[in-house]
Amino acid sequence: MSNEAFKAAMSRLAAGVVLVTAQEPPLDPDDPLAPAGEDVGMTATAFLSVSLDPPLVLVSLRTGARMDDLLDEQPLWAVSVLTESQRHIAGRFAMKGRISDRLLFEDIPYARGEATGAPLVGGALATLECRTEQRVTAGDHTLVIGRVLTAHLPSTEGGPLMYFRGRYRQLG
């Protein structure tokens, strides 16, 4: 089977779109004058609930991607479930060869998670803060399983942002 045939088949599976975020640790945690770590974000469509008891979720990250490397050293991260009106956020954090994450967050309303310190997108349908429980290598991806520490529903307006046949879509 070719990669193209596999990608075409999987593009027929609609998926919700989330923004995975984390905060890099300070460059030198022992030096209070050292620069703080940068916020990092990544659009993902491979995100799902794994368990209710304990509450676990899973996100699939391309091995070697910046978020994969960060979550290998930083166990705290967050997820914002994007609404159909937040397509621009999904596109911005999915760009290849993009500008720095600091500039990507610049005009997006967000709050810091109380448990993780990671950015939580304002107006998202739901936000979850997580701590990594397990990392599993799966082909060219890493499956990161996280225990949900907090879950909030900041917005009830609009529907979810979906990804289908290589494009962002909305329900209906």
Side-chain angles (χ1 to χ4, degrees), residues 58-71:
L58 177 149
V59 64
S60 179
L61 306 173
R62 187 176 27 71
T63 301
R66 183 171 184 199
M67 187 63 73
D68 179 43
D69 292 343
L70 176 55
L71 294 189

Side-chain angles (χ1 to χ4, degrees), residues 10 20 70 90 94 134:
M10 294 310 297
V20 180
L70 176 55
Q134 188 176 3

Side-chain angles (χ1 to χ4, degrees), residues 2-146:
S2 71
N3 286 350
E4 291 75 27
F6 179 67
K7 284 173 66 174
M10 294 310 297
S11 77
R12 302 307 198 266
L13 178 64
V17 182
V18 302
L19 184 68
V20 180
T21 57
Q23 190 177 46
E24 283 183 324
L27 295 177
D28 183 355
D30 298 327
D31 181 358
L33 299 177
E38 189 172 56
D39 292 325
V40 178
M42 182 198 94
T43 302
T45 56
F47 175 76
L48 58 105
S49 170
V50 173
S51 168
L52 183 59
D53 186 19
L56 299 173
V57 293
L58 177 149
V59 64
S60 179
L61 306 173
R62 187 176 27 71
T63 301
R66 183 171 184 199
M67 187 63 73
D68 179 43
D69 292 343
L70 176 55
L71 294 189
D72 193 29
E73 66 182 65
Q74 159 64 287
L76 300 174
W77 47 283
V79 172
S80 298
V81 179
L82 300 180
T83 68
E84 57 198 9
S85 67
Q86 294 175 319
R87 178 185 302 218
H88 65 287
I89 296 172
R92 178 183 293 190
F93 284 90
M95 291 186 312
K96 298 212 185 310
R98 62 189 198 198
I99 57 176
S100 81
D101 285 75
R102 181 180 49 80
L103 296 175
L104 293 177
F105 280 104
E106 202 165 74
D107 62 348
I108 294 174
Y110 68 88
R112 293 236 171 251
E114 59 196 52
T116 63
L120 302 169
V121 176
L125 286 176
T127 59
L128 304 156
E129 292 184 272
C130 306
R131 182 184 63 242
T132 299
E133 293 273 311
Q134 188 176 3
R135 292 172 55 87
V136 179
T137 300
D140 60 0
H141 277 64
T142 303
L143 307 178
V144 180
I145 299 170

